[in-house]
Amino acid sequence: MVCTIEEKTTKKVIKKALSALGKKNFVFIMHNASFPACKDENTGFGTVNSNGGKKFINYAQGLFDAIQMGPAGKTKLSDASPYTGTIFSGNPLFIDLKELTTKKWGNILPQETFDEIVQNNPNKGKNRTSYTYIYKKQEEALSQAYDNFLKLNDKKLHKEFESYKIQNKIWLDNDSLYEALAIENESDYWHNWKSETDKNLLNPKSQEEKIKYAKRIDEISKKYSKEIDKYKFIQFVLHIQNEETKEYAASKNIKMIADRQVAFSDRDEWAYQSLFLEGWYLGCPPDYFSKDGQAWGFPVMNPEKLYNGDGTLGEGGILMKNLFKKMFKENPGGVRIDHIVGLIDPWVYKKGFTPRPEEGAGRLYSSPEHPFLKKFAIPKLEDLDEEVGPDKEKRVKTLSKEQIKLYGRLVQIVIDAAKEEGLTKDAIVCEDLGTLTNPVASVMKEYQLMGMKLTQFTVPTEPDDPYRCKNIPEKCWAMIGTHDNRPVNVWAKSLIHTHEGYLHAKNLVEDLFSESENKDDIIVKLTNDADFLKETKLVELFASKAQNLQIFFTDFFDMWETYNVPGTSGNQNWSLRLPDDFETMKTINLPLILKKAIIARGEKFASKNKKIIKELDEIQ
């Protein structure tokens, strides 16, 4: 797609307006699976590596500075959530099958195989993924491609593949071995394996076990040599495509931002189980939404494995650094860290129990009174407000500089990983939404990390609410909603003719129309007109002081469906896609919104930028 002169002019004016408002980054958020497809290429799953993905990159050129993706790890057939994927292996579903039918790849995938997958896609013509369908079909197609790759005997390609295997041996051998053991034990969930030996192959407890397990690894490696090599080949193909897409995006001045989930997959738990705290899981304490808390079942890194006694990185610390170095290297736009609390002050609970304090749950580093967790505690008993429950954010009342540094040990590893890949701490996007404990807030402040301000979370009865426009600082990432929130259309419609809607309207008028003479009339319109409320909520985002803005694809393209509804499961979640004909879709009226954002800054600011306002008027 080549932009017309009119489109280039529009984007240029928008960029000028964003700059005038002090915006350094304007980022589009869309998970990989949601990318559109080109005609006759919809296999049932999106990928930025496809022609449809490149078409969107062209669309984003000159408008957005980066695209933030979702987690890119390999998921399971039984769970489409990208937030339970692997930490090293990429998702094979993100491989563009179409490219494998071309001469570039030696036509290792027959065109008829690709056409059949497209033809039989159960959601053909719909903006939905077909997760179960394509999971199986992609596996079959990539197996066929691998067989043809072997027959092709392309020496150059084989040499590149061998080099890739050597360079990524540290994680690729483990993940591919798991694939073989899953076949051997007839289950991809290692806890269900009958063989205790296979469960612990990478976790020997003695020299005798080490020798025994080495023999078993050799036996499995020989028995399933083809399956192991195929797994590695699939990761190689994905790597090549990802690198080419990154280069293509860079040529359009678009960077990619990755997403690091707090979870470790089953595959990772098996491979690195010796580094996790045995019998403990990561979760969330009880709150308004869940009286028993959220039992995520994710393994918890053993604090004793992060650093050695001499201050050097331990096995756990090395694992985490390698993970983030890989992510920063592959994503020069940076990394979003989901649930930053999980790196700084995680809530943990015992296996077989709920995440409630009365059942032994607590904060891993903040529980000096706990019979077991006290060995990891950073604060002392005198640092606690014991009248406050262990799940409350103000529980730790005092912190020294040294204690803050201890809480920030994992954060420091992430910062060091970014630095070694040529990036600064500004490349770290911290998802710190919701209630933050004092230790988390202190670490964020000490390390000058940028958190997120989500305007849809504004509590209108709280004048000092951190998500309200007037309270949003410059150094942060601001947005209306993420993948777990309703689109702004739905948010606005739900508040019409309600008291809560009136309270939001009152605040918006105070923050954005402070110099208007007809404030009451504007409040009335906001409480009765959903379109006007939605538009004003968008104006609030751009009028805020935040230097970095993000917008989720459902908000930008004026969609009505929610991408993921927390606390629910089923095919609706994680399945929404941007329609293939997205270029014809209605989007938010960005020129109008930016014009109103400039005016909302006050008459003096608007007068200074009257030329830009005029240009925005001309392109609406």
Side-chain angles (χ1 to χ4, degrees), residues 294-501:
Q294 297 178 45
W296 291 340
F298 301 148
V300 181
M301 182 68 69
N302 186 339
E304 295 175 340
K305 300 286 186 176
L306 287 175
Y307 285 88
N308 298 316
D310 62 359
T312 58
L313 289 182
E315 290 181 78
I318 292 171
L319 173 71
M320 297 303 291
K321 189 170 185 180
N322 286 339
L323 161 63
F324 279 101
K325 276 177 65 67
K326 182 175 185 285
M327 295 188 77
F328 285 119
K329 182 177 181 179
E330 294 173 351
N331 300 276
V335 176
R336 172 191 183 269
I337 300 178
D338 190 60
H339 194 61
I340 190 70
V341 175
L343 289 190
I344 302 170
D345 197 17
W347 182 263
V348 298
Y349 64 97
K350 292 189 290 186
K351 182 179 180 180
F353 295 85
T354 70
R356 297 166 64 192
E358 52 266 42
E359 292 194 28
R363 294 217 173 269
L364 181 60
Y365 299 121
S366 303
S367 305
E369 80 294 353
H370 194 283
F372 176 75
L373 298 179
K374 65 182 179 182
K375 65 189 290 190
F376 308 119
I378 293 171
K380 296 180 173 61
L381 282 170
E382 55 265 32
D383 296 320
L384 303 183
D385 183 346
E386 295 191 69
E387 294 184 5
V388 176
D391 57 327
K392 304 305 180 187
E393 70 272 18
K394 305 297 183 184
R395 169 78 162 177
V396 179
K397 61 182 181 181
T398 57
L399 282 169
S400 66
K401 283 273 189 182
E402 183 58 31
Q403 287 173 324
I404 293 172
K405 184 179 178 182
L406 288 171
Y407 272 110
R409 286 174 297 181
L410 259 172
V411 166
Q412 186 62 59
I413 290 173
V414 178
I415 293 172
D416 290 343
K419 187 177 180 180
E420 288 181 21
E421 294 303 326
L423 300 173
T424 69
K425 64 180 68 174
D426 286 350
I428 303 169
V429 182
C430 298
E431 189 275 287
D432 61 343
L433 302 173
T435 302
L436 297 184
T437 65
N438 278 347
V440 176
S442 298
V443 169
M444 293 281 290
K445 182 178 180 181
E446 177 68 21
Y447 288 85
Q448 298 181 311
L449 297 174
M450 288 195 287
M452 293 164 58
K453 301 301 177 188
L454 200 149
T455 61
Q456 197 180 127
F457 277 0
T458 303
V459 178
T461 55
E462 302 290 336
D464 296 326
D465 186 272
Y467 303 126
R468 181 174 168 178
C469 180
K470 70 174 186 176
N471 301 320
I472 295 176
E474 290 184 356
K475 292 279 286 183
C476 74
W477 288 87
M479 66 212 71
I480 289 177
T482 68
H483 57 268
D484 287 335
N485 298 104
R486 298 172 296 173
V488 65
N489 271 331
V490 180
W491 176 88
K493 187 176 181 181
S494 72
L495 291 173
I496 294 306
H497 310 308
T498 68
H499 180 63
E500 185 183 356

Side-chain angles (χ1 to χ4, degrees), residues 403-613:
Q403 287 173 324
I404 293 172
K405 184 179 178 182
L406 288 171
Y407 272 110
R409 286 174 297 181
L410 259 172
V411 166
Q412 186 62 59
I413 290 173
V414 178
I415 293 172
D416 290 343
K419 187 177 180 180
E420 288 181 21
E421 294 303 326
L423 300 173
T424 69
K425 64 180 68 174
D426 286 350
I428 303 169
V429 182
C430 298
E431 189 275 287
D432 61 343
L433 302 173
T435 302
L436 297 184
T437 65
N438 278 347
V440 176
S442 298
V443 169
M444 293 281 290
K445 182 178 180 181
E446 177 68 21
Y447 288 85
Q448 298 181 311
L449 297 174
M450 288 195 287
M452 293 164 58
K453 301 301 177 188
L454 200 149
T455 61
Q456 197 180 127
F457 277 0
T458 303
V459 178
T461 55
E462 302 290 336
D464 296 326
D465 186 272
Y467 303 126
R468 181 174 168 178
C469 180
K470 70 174 186 176
N471 301 320
I472 295 176
E474 290 184 356
K475 292 279 286 183
C476 74
W477 288 87
M479 66 212 71
I480 289 177
T482 68
H483 57 268
D484 287 335
N485 298 104
R486 298 172 296 173
V488 65
N489 271 331
V490 180
W491 176 88
K493 187 176 181 181
S494 72
L495 291 173
I496 294 306
H497 310 308
T498 68
H499 180 63
E500 185 183 356
Y502 163 75
L503 294 175
H504 279 287
K506 187 170 175 290
N507 287 352
L508 287 168
V509 168
E510 287 179 9
D511 292 356
L512 305 175
F513 299 91
S514 61
E515 297 179 2
S516 298
E517 296 180 358
N518 58 334
K519 293 186 181 66
D520 289 342
D521 292 338
I522 298 172
I523 290 174
V524 170
K525 187 175 182 183
L526 283 169
T527 55
N528 289 281
D529 187 334
D531 287 337
F532 184 53
L533 178 58
K534 177 199 75 175
E535 177 189 280
T536 307
K537 194 66 177 172
L538 285 159
V539 170
E540 175 190 38
L541 177 67
F542 290 90
S544 74
K545 294 178 182 177
Q547 295 176 344
N548 307 289
L549 301 184
Q550 295 181 322
I551 190 163
F552 197 61
F553 79 100
T554 56
D555 287 331
F556 184 79
F557 280 96
D558 233 16
M559 298 170 78
W560 288 85
E561 295 179 84
T562 301
Y563 187 61
N564 175 61
V565 180
T568 67
S569 59
N571 292 336
Q572 285 295 104
N573 286 336
W574 316 110
S575 66
L576 187 65
R577 294 179 68 178
L578 189 61
D580 296 345
D581 62 347
F582 70 92
E583 291 161 306
T584 67
M585 289 175 67
K586 173 189 173 186
T587 67
I588 59 173
N589 189 339
L590 204 48
L592 176 63
I593 289 164
L594 289 170
K595 170 189 168 182
K596 289 192 172 187
I598 290 173
I599 293 172
R601 289 277 185 90
E603 186 178 344
K604 187 176 180 181
F605 186 83
S607 178
K608 180 182 175 183
N609 293 284
K610 60 184 179 181
K611 183 179 178 182
I612 293 177
I613 290 176

Side-chain angles (χ1 to χ4, degrees), residues 9-25:
T9 301
T10 297
K11 289 179 177 180
K12 188 175 180 181
V13 173
I14 287 172
K15 278 294 186 183
K16 284 170 65 176
L18 287 168
S19 179
L21 288 163
K23 310 309 176 191
K24 291 183 176 179
N25 290 291

